Every structure is written in structure tokens, then in C-alpha cells.
Amino acid sequence: MIRVVIVDDQALVREGLRALLGRADDIEVVGEAADGNDAVRVVERTEPDVVLMDIRMPGTDGITATRRILGASPSTRIRVVVLTTFDSDDNILDAIGAGATGFLVKDSAPEELRTAVRIVAAGEAMLSPTVTRRVMQAAARSPRVRGTEMLSVLTEREREILAEVGRGLSNDEIGRELFISPTTVRTHVTRILAKLQARDRANLVAIAFRTGLVPPTDP
């Protein structure tokens, strides 16, 4: 069973998410919280696999709570999926920096919600094309870091794969683009994560844009 904690300041939203997740045989909601501080306490008590985290809440917001939850133990297996409304949230890069692994629009279809939980519980990042475009827009407004120095630890092939990750491609899609197997892509991604000391694939997307490896104007 995939153990989930729901964090949102609106009781109706929490109730709706619980009902949708409850229809899956492999997902169990083990706790709820209405603010960031409560979220940290609930997560410590229940030890979930996945936290569905609202960004905008009174008091301690979702980004701060995510940072506290994931910073408590660098080796934690907990994954955070940020609940957002892309029309108003400009915090995608901040959420990635805090360690969020997935992003989900609050009015997503029920099966998309359940799929997102399963994807991040399996250790993958949930980055839709919409999220990738949002990262591009945020990166265009953010100060760039010195990509030459940061990316110097990567081989030419690893930089090539990082660029494709930044564009939102899956391992299978990258393999088709570069004529290599998905297993080989996965091996390269693992090495890139280690070399850049990145937490997960979502963090790699942000790095690809912040270093200029992928121009924000790319499609």
C-alpha cells in the first residue's frame, strides 16, 4: 500500500482528495493536515510514502513545510507532490528547490491524481508538459547560475541527456531521441543526479534551465 498524507487548508479539498484516493486498492490515506506546521507533525507520526502538499496556506506555507519535512532526514523516502493552480502560482522553482518531486493541478482528473501518487511513490518525478513550460517561464525571470562550472563534472553525453530531461522527456523518449536504451538513459540520469547532488528529476529540470543548458524560449 502507498501511504499518503493530504495537506490543504480547505476541508472540502481534503475530503475530496481522500474520496478520490480511497477508490484505489493500492493507496491509503493515513493522515491530513490544514497547515504547514501541522503537516510536519502528521508526517512525523504517520511516516507516509507520499505527501500531497498545497503551496498556499495561512501561517507556514507548503514550500516551507516541504523543506522541513524533507530536510529532517536527507535519506528520507518521503515524496512530496505539490498541489497548485498554475494560473496563480509562481513558486514552481522554489518548490523544486525545497525538494518537491511532483506537481499537480487541483482540478486534475481523478485517475491523474492516482497516477501521480503511484509515479512519485515509485521514485520518479511527476512533471507534465504544463509544469515544464511553467519552469521555463520561471527560469526566464530568475537569475542564472554559472553553468560552465556546475556542468563541468558531466560528460558530453550526460549534458545531452540532462538537456532532454530539462525539456520534459521521459527515459523512453530520450532513448528514442538519442538511439540508446531506456536502461542506459536511466543509468546516465542516476550518475547525473549524483554528480550534481540533485535530489531527483524535478531538480534536474530546474538545473537545466538555471544553467542555460536549455534556453527558456525552447518549446
Side-chain angles (χ1 to χ4, degrees), residues 25 34 36 47 53 57 73 126 128 144 154 201:
D25 295 335
E47 298 184 349
M53 179 75 74
M57 295 181 291
S73 172
M126 178 67 181
S128 69
R144 291 299 182 89
L154 303 180
R201 201 179 187 99

Side-chain angles (χ1 to χ4, degrees), residues 205-217:
V205 173
I207 290 173
F209 288 111
R210 294 293 300 278
T211 58
L213 186 62
V214 178
T217 53

Side-chain angles (χ1 to χ4, degrees), residues 25-178:
D25 295 335
D26 57 339
I27 299 174
E28 177 186 9
V29 177
V30 296
E32 295 181 15
D35 60 58
N37 284 330
D38 194 25
V40 175
R41 290 191 290 269
V42 172
V43 168
E44 288 177 348
R45 185 178 72 249
T46 59
E47 298 184 349
D49 301 298
V50 176
V51 179
L52 297 179
M53 179 75 74
D54 186 20
I55 285 185
R56 298 175 181 272
M57 295 181 291
T60 302
D61 62 27
I63 292 175
T64 301
T66 296
R67 190 175 291 113
R68 286 172 58 186
I69 289 169
L70 300 179
S73 172
S75 61
T76 183
R77 59 176 174 74
I78 297 171
R79 299 289 182 263
V80 175
V81 175
V82 167
L83 299 172
T84 184
T85 52
F86 290 114
D87 288 337
S88 61
D89 283 334
D90 293 316
N91 300 303
I92 300 298
L93 289 180
D94 288 339
I96 290 175
T101 303
F103 298 85
L104 200 64
V105 182
K106 284 188 177 182
D107 60 358
S108 296
E111 192 53 40
E112 186 176 358
L113 169 68
R114 293 186 284 264
T115 297
V117 168
R118 294 181 182 116
I119 287 173
V120 298
E124 297 293 331
M126 178 67 181
L127 288 172
S128 69
T130 303
V131 172
T132 301
R133 286 194 299 272
R134 192 68 177 181
V135 172
M136 289 180 187
Q137 295 165 3
R141 298 190 300 270
S142 301
R144 291 299 182 89
V145 299
R146 295 184 60 182
T148 302
E149 182 177 346
M150 176 179 284
L151 301 180
S152 65
V153 298
L154 303 180
T155 66
E156 183 177 350
R157 174 61 92 182
E158 288 167 348
R159 286 194 295 273
E160 191 175 17
I161 288 175
L162 176 58
E164 300 301 335
V165 170
R167 294 185 178 97
L169 273 62
S170 68
N171 288 346
D172 287 347
E173 290 168 333
I174 294 172
R176 288 194 293 271
E177 286 281 327
L178 302 181

Side-chain angles (χ1 to χ4, degrees), residues 8-15 34 54 106:
D8 196 288
D9 62 317
Q10 298 183 45
L12 284 176
V13 172
R14 297 197 305 274
E15 183 179 343
D54 186 20
K106 284 188 177 182

